[in-house]
Amino acid sequence: MRYLPLTDDDRRRMLDTIGVHSVEELFRDVPDAAMLAEPVALPRHQGEIEVERAFRDFAAANLSPSSAPSFLGGGVYRHHLPATVDHLIQRGEFLTAYTPYQPEVSQGTLQSLFEFQTQVALLTGMEVANASMYDGATACAEAVKMAARIKKRDRVVISGGLHPHYREVTATYNRFVGLRDAALPPDWRGGEDAAAAIDAKTACVVVQNPDFFGRVHDYSGLASACHAAGALLVVVVTEVISLGLLKSPGEIGADIVAGDGQSIGNALSFGGPTVGILATREKFIRQLPGRLAGQTVDVDGRRGFVLTLSTREQHIRRDKATSNICTNSGLCALAFSIHLTLLGEAGFTRLAELNHAKAVELADRLETIEGVEVLNDSFFNEFTVRLPRSAADAVEAMAKQGVLGGVPVSRLYPGESELEPLLLVAATETNTDQDIDALAMALRGALQ
Amino acid sequence: MSDPRATTTGNRGLQIEEPLIFEQGSPDKTAVDLPEPPSTKDRLGGVRRSGPIGLPGLSEPEVVRHYLRLSQKNFSIDHGFYPLGSCTMKHNPRLNEKLARLPGIGDLHPLQPTATVQGALALIDACAHWLKALTGMPAVAMSPAAGAHGESVGLMTIRAALEDRGDARKRVLVPDSAHGTNPATAHACGYAVEGIPADDRGRVDLAAFREKLDADVAAIMLTNPNTCGLFENDILDIAAAVHDAGAFFYCDGANLNAIVGRVRPGDLGVDCMHINLHKTFSTPHGGGGPGSGPVVLSEALAPYAPVPYVVQGPDGFELIEDPARSDAKPFGRIKGFHGQFGMFVRALGYMMSMGSDGLRQVSGDAVLNANYLLACLRDTVTLAFEGPCMHEVLFDEGFLKETGVTTLDFAKALIDEGFHPMTVYFPLVVHGAMLVEPTETETKATLDTFVETMKALTARARAGDVEYFQEAPRLTPRRRLDETMAARNPILRWRPPAVDKAAE
Amino acid sequence: MANVRFTSDHEWVRIEGDIGVVGITEYAQEQLGDIVFVELPEVGAQLEKGAEAAVIESVKAASEINAPVSGEVVAVNEGLADDPGKVNADAMGEGWFFKVRLADPQELEDLMKPAAYKELVAGLK
C-alpha cells in the first residue's frame, strides 16, 4: 500500500515501546459491539493503473465540453486557463499546506491571499474583500446575513434577476436564522422595480449584474433608493470577467458584493469547487465573515502578513461568531489570483472585450434563425432566447448532435410554463466561428 | 552591521524577498496573448466601465518567479512532519490530482443535460456508496462544501425533521472541548447552545450531560474520537439517552481518520455526521480549502436531506434538483450546483487506491503512531489525559511550568527544527494545549526525530534558556509577526502610495 | 477610590452622582493582553444589570462585558475606537468604556468595595 510507510517490523517495535501486543488493544475504549472484525465489504486496494482505468471509464461516459461546441453558462463559464496557473497551484508548498495558522512558515499563502483580497477589491470597486468563501451562492447568503447584522433588520428583498441557486441557498439560510425573504418573481422580461419592494424593515436588496438572464444594469438609482430607506444594496456577480468591461458594483453604489470567481483561474469541475468572493466597505469589516489576511511587520521590522481580526471567527467567538465558516476556497483563490496576474489590466480588459464580441456575434447569428428571439436589450457574454418549443427538449436534441447548446431556464426554474421556451446561451473566448456554425445548425435542426 | 549573514539584497540564498504584484510590472504588459476582438456593435446597455481597474501587468516569467518564490515561504506536508492536531495533515496522493484533471471529468459543466454526464453522476454515486459503507449509514448528502458547512446541513436536517413532527426544540448541547464551529453552527441554525463540561478523563461528563438533556434539546453535537484524542467510551449510553429524549445525535466527523475501516459511526447510534474529505480521505488542504463535507444520515433524517442528490432511474442516473420532483422532504438547497465534485473525484481515487483493507490499516497506523509518540514522550512532556489515545495525543503546558517558556514559544522553536508545530491552545479544556496528530503517512524515523527534538527542546527550556524560545523562530522567511498591530490598524489590501497620502 | 465598586468579572464602576462610569480593571487588561478593539453600546441604550453591554477583543480572545449596573447609557468613550490601547495603558482612567445613568443605586450594594476586590485578585495570582 503505497501511501503507508510503516513496515511490519516498525509496527512490532512500536507496539513493544507502547507495551501492548496488538493495535487492537489500543482500541480498547471502543465498545466491543461496535468493533468490526473484518474490513468493510468494499473492494480491496488497487494500484494506480487500475484506479486510473476506472476513472477513464467514468470520463468516457460523459460528453466533455472541451470536445464539443459548448455554450453553457448559468453561473459557471468555460474559459481558457493558461498552463502556468495549473502548474503553479500544483506546487506542493501551496497544494499541501493548511490554513496559515503559523505565519512565519506561511508567508507564501498569506501574501497571495493579501494580493487576492486586493484584486477582488479592485475588480468589484469595493474597499476590502475577504480571503474567499465556498462559492457564489453561499457568499450571497452570507452577504444577506451580514446586511441583517449591520442594519439590525430582518427582511430581505431578492431580485427576480438573481441566479435561482443563489435564491434558494439564501432562502434556506434565511429560514434558519429567522430572516424574511421578499423574493420577486423571475424577471425574464426585464424592468423589475426592486425599489418598490423596500420597506422600513428591509435590511438589503439583492440584485445580480449581469442578471441571471444576461441583462446588464446600472443599479445606481436602486442604490440611492436603498440608502434613502436605510437599507444596503448587495450586488451579485456570477461572471467576473464582465468586470473588465462593466462599471464596477462599487461605482454603482453597492455596499456588499458577493459572487463567484470561477471564471478566473478555475476549471468547470462540474460546478465545484469554485471560489466565492465577498467584498464590502471598510466600515463593515467587523461584520464580514471569513478569513482575512492583513499586513504587519515582524520583530525585525520587515513587512509580513498574518490572518487578522480573527475574533470575528468561530474558533474564538464560538456561538457569537459572524459565521461558522472555517475552510474556504484557498487553492481556488490562488488560481484566481495567478490567472488575473497573468492577464493584468491589458489582458483582462481584452478578455472581457473578446467575450462580449463573441456573444454579440452569437446573438446576431441566432437572430437569423426563424422562430428564435433574443430577449435581451443588453448583455455581456450571455443572453436569453425564446424558442418556439421547449428549450429543454431542444437542448436534448442538440446534445444528441454533439452540441451543448445552452441551459434551459426551466432546469433552474422548473414548473413555470412561461419559462419553458427560454434558453440561456453563453459565449466565451473559447468559442470559435465553427462552434457558432455548429450551434446554429443544431438549433435549426432541433426546431424542425 | 556586523551580522555576517546580512546581505545587500535582503535575500538569503534560496529565500528570495518578493514584492507584491502591485509593486511590479506595468499596466500595458500581459502574460496572456489573446486575439484582437472582432469589431462588433456594443450591446452593454451603456454600463461600460470608464476608468482603469488598477491591475498590474507582468510577463509570464515574472509571474512564474513571483509565485514560485512565494511558494518557498510556505511549510507543507510535502516538506515534512505537520502534526497539526485535529487537521489530519496526511500525504496527498498526486494520482488524485491527475484524475481530477482528466478530460471528461475536470471540464464538465454542471448544467449539461444529465444524459451527457452519466459518468459524473455514477462517480458521485460511487463516492456516496463508499462513504455510506464505511460509516454504516443509509444515506448521504453530498453537497456541503466543507466540514463546517456539513455541520450546518446536519443541524438543518435535524431541525427540519423535528419541525416536521411538530416538535420544535430550542437547545443544542455541545461539549466544552468541541471545535468552535460546533457552537457557531448551532447558533446559525437558530439554536441556543449549552456547554457540557469534560470529566477528569477528558470525556463528556455523563452526569452533567444527563442533567441537561430534556425534551427541549434538539441534538447533541459530539466529536468522536473527541478533540482530546480520546474515544468517548460511554458513547452507546450517550446515544441511547439522546434517543430516549427524542433528540438526535450529531457526530462531528473531523476525527474519522482514527476509526475508519474498524468502527462504523452507524453502529454507535449516530444519526448524522459530516465527513471532511480533506482530512480522512486525503484531498489537499490547499492553504485553506477547497474542502468538502458530505453528511451521512440515519433513516430518520434521510428524507430531509437537501437537494440536489443522485438517484438511479430506469434510464440511468438522475439528478434530483427540484424539491417538487423529490419523493422525500428536502429542507432546501445549501450550495450552488452539485457539491464539490472535484473533491469527490480525489476522495474516491483515494478510497479505491486504499481499498477496504488499506483503510483499515490507515486507522491502525494512525492510532499506532499517536500512541508511539505518547509512549516516547510521556516522561518528558505532560500528558493531559491517560491513554491509550486514538489518532492524536494531547499534552499540556505543565512540563514548562516555572521555565518561563510558553506553549507558543515552544511551538515556534519547533519551526526552526523543521517541523510544523502541533495545534496549540486547542482544545480549551486544558492549559496551553499541544495536540499532536502524526497521521499514518509518517515513518518511524520521522517520529523518532520528532521525539528527540521534543526532548532536546524540553531540556533546553528546563535549563533556563528562555530567550532561545522567545526569539524563535530565527530561521524562517519572517520571524514573529506583530498581530496586535495587524488587528488594531487593519491593512487588508494594497493601495497605491498616492492614495495613502491623500487618506492621511 | 472610595466611590469605586467592582464586580467579580473584573469590571469597575465609578460613581459620580447619579452616573456610573464603567471600565475593566487593571487585572482584566493584564489577563487579556493587547486590546485591539472595543465594541461599545449605543448612547441611549437601556442596559440591564448582568446583560451583555460591550465586547472587548484582544488578538486571541473576545470577551463580553456585562453591565455591572442597570441604566441608560449617557456617554461612551469614543477615543477607544482609534486607540483601544488606552485600556492597556490606563484601564481605570483613560480606558473607561461608557457612562450609565444609574436606574437603581441599590444595585451598587451588590458590588465589591476596593478592599474586597483587592483580596479577590490576590487570591487569583
Side-chain angles (χ1 to χ4, degrees), chain B residues 64-278:
Chain B
V64 169
R65 274 198 187 147
H66 177 74
Y67 288 100
L68 185 124
R69 288 170 179 178
L70 289 191
S71 77
Q72 293 180 327
K73 301 180 201 307
N74 270 4
F75 190 89
S76 68
I77 311 165
D78 283 0
H79 274 105
F81 194 45
Y82 207 132
L84 200 59
S86 199
C87 298
T88 313
M89 301 301 285
K90 62 167 76 175
H91 172 65
N92 297 152
R94 290 313 194 276
L95 169 65
N96 304 332
E97 295 306 306
K98 182 178 182 183
L99 301 177
R101 288 165 172 83
L102 289 176
I105 287 185
D107 58 356
L108 297 177
H109 192 285
L111 299 176
Q112 289 182 222
T114 50
T116 68
V117 288
Q118 286 296 305
L121 300 182
L123 194 159
I124 296 175
D125 190 63
C127 188
H129 174 71
W130 278 80
L131 297 178
K132 288 184 287 187
L134 288 170
T135 55
M137 302 284 277
V140 60
M142 293 296 284
S143 63
H149 203 216
E151 287 179 31
S152 299
V153 168
L155 280 202
M156 287 173 178
T157 310
I158 287 170
R159 202 172 130 183
L162 285 169
E163 285 176 356
D164 192 43
R165 72 179 196 212
D167 186 14
R169 297 177 173 219
K170 296 216 165 53
R171 287 150 54 225
V172 167
L173 304 183
V174 181
D176 292 341
S177 61
H179 295 114
T181 49
N182 292 172
T185 301
H187 184 255
C189 292
Y191 287 111
V193 179
E194 204 164 324
I196 313 171
D199 66 13
D200 55 10
R201 302 172 312 130
R203 269 89 171 179
V204 165
D205 183 330
L206 205 56
F209 161 69
R210 285 188 195 277
E211 205 158 292
K212 286 170 191 274
L213 187 63
D214 59 32
D216 197 36
V217 170
I220 180 174
M221 295 183 87
L222 191 67
T223 310
N224 190 35
N226 68 23
T227 59
C228 301
L230 304 169
F231 196 91
E232 294 281 354
N233 38 10
D234 293 327
I235 188 139
L236 295 176
D237 292 340
I238 293 172
V242 167
H243 293 145
D244 285 348
F248 289 100
F249 179 3
Y250 185 96
C251 183
D252 182 323
N255 295 338
L256 179 62
N257 201 50
I259 57 170
V260 65
R262 288 173 190 267
V263 182
R264 298 183 306 175
D267 297 333
L268 299 172
V270 167
D271 292 297
C272 183
M273 182 180 84
H274 76 261
I275 303 167
N276 307 76
L277 297 186
H278 49 287

Side-chain angles (χ1 to χ4, degrees), chain A residues 105-119:
Chain A
V105 284
S106 311
Q107 285 299 302
T109 294
L110 286 161
Q111 181 171 333
S112 73
L113 288 176
F114 184 80
E115 292 172 345
F116 170 81
Q117 290 170 190
T118 307
Q119 288 171 320

